[in-house]
Amino acid sequence: MMMQDKQAWSGRFNEPVAELVKRYTASVEFDQRLALFDIQGSLAHAQMLEACGIITSQDLNDIRRGMAQIENEIISGDFVWSLDLEDVHLNIEKRLTALVGDAGKRLHTGRSRNDQVATDVRLYLRNAIDELIELVKALQMALVNLATHHTHTIMPGFTHLQVAQPVSFAHHLMAYFEMLKRDAERLADAHRRVNRLPLGAAALAGTSYPIKREMVAELLGFDGVCENSLDAVSDRDFAIEFTAAAALIMTHLSRLSEELILWMSPRFGFIDIADRFCTGSSIMPQKKNPDVPELVRGKTGRVNGHLVALLTLMKGQPLAYNKDNQEDKEPLFDTVDTLTQTLRIYADMIGGITVKPEAMRSAALQGYATATDLADYLVKKGLPFRDAHEAVALAVRFAEQRGCDLSGLKLEELQQFSSLIADDIYGVLTLEGSLAARNHTGGTAPQQVEAAIARARHYLAG
Ligand code: ARG
């Protein structure tokens, strides 16, 4: 609900702000989501003002009492937001004054909305990052759980989307575990720079009151204060950095989505995604569409767009605070919302995947995926790699004409291409032999993938 109110700064103005301008400049419709962080920041500021003798303890008590009521009103949905009061900060301050009188008017001593909003956004984002890190880990756990059952499930690994070499399906899944691990690290790293207190910078230059910024930082759980007042109120690099990390997470999930979509296509038939993540077609009765991964791929564009929006927002701004910065909120909030929903749904969806090992296996048998193994075999018997490559290329061509896999050729047939080939070759040409041979850290041998899964579980438990 909105109502009419006089602007806090209207004393200097000869005419009221135009209705259109009021709507254009107000942010309360979207920044009200910062309300509880705004109150948290105000309470810490007030406590410091009292400790420094700038307001009385009676004022502090009044402010606390008023804020407690406001918090209840906001949580219960009874708080009346006013567009005339522009933003979340002025709405809360006005209500506080209505409730407790002069103490409410004293709250803004030694503070400006410029350092106030920067503080609110940091409190909000710090909290969002903590939640997102947990969601990334939950998705990693879903991947690890699926991988655990498929260390011995063999699929074709691709390069250029052409069959390249056989890999363990679990190994493929664990590649995404690694990406997400770096993503969680990036979030945690961004958190360190988010977690600094701007309050005390006031409008831009600091304040003439004898404040104690470090005390406020400690009360709010910040690791320290922003050390330059101009920088504190004006930069939003911490939000840009977070959004870049978010865009990378979405990009990783977009790649996985593309794979899920391909794998679910009947042409691949490697997996099935549970019905609850798919939709049908209103015209083609046979269809089951992978809507969720498609939307993840689509929403990645949206988050990437938010990153560009924030970078562009910042690039032309002189020091210090400019109203441009009000435009940081919607992209930032939407980034957090989109990423939160995406991670939640993704962990569930991974848990609902049905794997079709037979389809993976037959695809792996179709593209001469063990050709490299034959070449390596010849090299180990003394042939230079380039000659081995050539011999195997001829053997592949021959097998292609026969319409069979390399392992389907008779020993005499294989020996036409190199006399070094003996009957131990069949252990090498099987899919299992190919996997087992790549037995080093980071390789696809099931034994290595099991070790990777064990490391992953240890990391997630820590
Ligand atoms: N709504 C503003 C924002 O989001 C708050 C700070 C406004 N400061 C000012 N002096 N107009 O950035």
Side-chain angles (χ1 to χ4, degrees):
M1 220 215 307
M2 297 278 172
M3 60 176 218
Q4 287 282 105
D5 267 298
K6 193 168 111 205
Q7 277 83 8
W9 36 258
S10 62
R12 188 212 174 286
F13 287 70
N14 292 326
E15 56 174 2
V17 70
E19 194 57 35
L20 257 181
V21 174
K22 199 159 72 186
R23 294 199 168 276
Y24 195 73
T25 55
S27 55
V28 64
E29 275 167 14
F30 50 84
D31 67 14
Q32 41 178 281
R33 94 143 80 179
L34 295 173
L36 298 183
F37 299 107
D38 195 69
I39 292 173
Q40 191 188 354
S42 288
L43 289 174
H45 177 68
Q47 190 175 334
M48 179 277 291
L49 291 178
E50 192 266 349
C52 297
I54 302 167
I55 61 172
T56 65
S57 50
Q58 182 58 48
D59 287 332
L60 177 59
N61 286 339
D62 290 348
I63 289 169
R64 284 179 169 157
R65 178 169 47 83
M67 286 301 199
Q69 177 168 341
I70 292 172
E71 196 166 310
N72 285 334
E73 290 173 0
I74 290 169
I75 291 169
S76 65
D78 294 336
F79 191 89
V80 183
W81 298 99
S82 158
L83 194 72
D84 294 295
L85 293 173
E86 219 178 303
D87 56 26
V88 61
H89 324 292
L90 295 177
N91 267 271
I92 291 177
E93 191 185 313
K94 180 87 177 191
R95 178 72 183 135
L96 182 67
T97 303
L99 288 171
V100 305
D102 283 354
K105 296 186 193 164
R106 291 196 180 102
L107 172 62
H108 212 53
T109 313
R111 183 176 79 168
S112 151
R113 276 185 294 157
N114 297 351
D115 57 347
Q116 189 178 355
V117 70
T119 302
D120 292 4
V121 174
R122 284 172 185 263
L123 286 170
Y124 159 82
L125 188 54
R126 172 177 93 172
N127 189 59
I129 288 175
D130 288 342
E131 287 175 13
L132 284 167
I133 290 175
E134 289 313 305
L135 290 174
V136 169
K137 291 196 169 162
L139 173 55
Q140 287 179 295
M141 188 53 97
L143 287 167
V144 169
N145 286 339
L146 184 60
T148 302
H149 298 111
H150 292 287
T151 51
H152 290 270
T153 301
I154 301 179
M155 67 178 279
F158 298 91
T159 59
H160 314 273
L161 205 54
Q162 309 290 322
V163 171
Q165 293 171 355
V167 294
S168 148
F169 180 53
H171 192 51
H172 195 117
L173 293 171
M174 291 303 287
Y176 286 97
F177 173 90
E178 291 294 322
M179 293 177 228
L180 290 167
K181 188 171 164 204
R182 293 192 296 276
D183 288 329
E185 281 170 17
R186 264 185 285 273
L187 288 177
D189 194 49
H191 187 286
R192 290 173 43 226
R193 282 176 290 279
V194 170
N195 207 26
R196 299 256 151 195
L197 176 76
L199 272 181
L204 76 166
T207 176
S208 57
Y209 298 96
I211 58 167
K212 283 203 184 110
R213 298 187 65 203
E214 286 73 14
M215 174 184 168
V216 182
E218 203 179 315
L219 286 172
L220 292 173
F222 283 107
D223 294 329
V225 301
C226 300
E227 295 197 358
N228 179 294
S229 63
L230 297 165
D231 177 45
V233 290
S234 66
D235 210 335
R236 295 293 182 268
D237 59 354
F238 64 90
I240 295 173
E241 188 180 344
F242 161 76
T243 307
L248 268 172
I249 300 176
M250 290 299 292
T251 298
H252 288 150
L253 296 183
S254 184
R255 297 188 70 187
L256 180 53
S257 296
E258 172 68 7
E259 301 205 294
L260 296 180
I261 293 162
L262 284 172
W263 294 345
M264 199 179 126
S265 147
R267 293 288 166 131
F268 278 76
F270 287 3
I271 60 160
D272 203 9
I273 296 177
D275 286 358
R276 63 183 182 281
F277 299 100
C278 301
T279 63
S281 158
S282 54
I283 173 165
M284 297 165 283
Q286 84 284 12
K287 295 273 293 253
K288 177 175 155 188
N289 299 327
D291 286 38
V292 170
E294 286 174 299
L295 271 173
V296 171
R297 204 173 51 184
K299 285 176 190 288
T300 302
R302 171 177 173 146
V303 173
N304 289 355
H306 293 328
L307 172 60
V308 174
L310 291 177
L311 284 166
T312 312
L313 167 70
M314 192 49 59
K315 77 177 276 294
Q317 286 192 50
L319 292 180
Y321 177 86
N322 301 279
K323 188 82 166 188
D324 311 40
N325 282 338
Q326 181 164 290
E327 285 289 305
D328 67 351
K329 287 168 203 60
E330 286 163 294
L332 184 63
F333 294 162
D334 190 68
T335 297
V336 170
D337 291 345
T338 305
L339 188 56
T340 301
Q341 291 162 14
T342 301
L343 287 166
R344 282 220 175 96
I345 203 163
Y346 228 101
D348 259 20
M349 185 170 64
I350 293 294
I353 283 179
T354 308
V355 180
K356 300 177 175 171
E358 278 317 307
M360 291 184 177
R361 187 176 183 84
S362 77
L365 286 170
Q366 272 163 30
Y368 302 99
T370 57
T372 315
D373 296 272
L374 177 53
D376 290 346
Y377 170 91
L378 293 172
V379 168
K380 284 171 198 158
K381 297 221 168 180
L383 202 61
F385 183 77
R386 282 289 155 226
D387 295 339
H389 187 281
E390 171 72 8
V392 176
L394 294 172
V396 165
R397 205 205 276 207
F398 181 79
E400 223 169 7
Q401 280 159 5
R402 285 294 165 88
C404 68
D405 184 57
L406 287 173
S407 61
L409 296 177
K410 296 200 194 75
L411 184 59
E412 307 83 72
E413 289 172 326
L414 283 166
Q415 282 170 336
Q416 307 174 101
F417 303 99
S418 169
S419 54
L420 294 169
I421 297 176
D423 62 1
D424 59 349
I425 189 60
Y426 291 102
V428 170
L429 289 181
T430 60
L431 299 177
E432 283 74 11
S434 176
L435 257 66
R438 287 158 171 78
N439 193 13
H440 53 76
T441 308
T444 193
Q447 198 188 333
Q448 293 296 336
V449 181
E450 277 156 18
I453 289 173
R455 287 195 299 271
R457 287 197 185 279
H458 185 256
Y459 161 84
L460 289 173

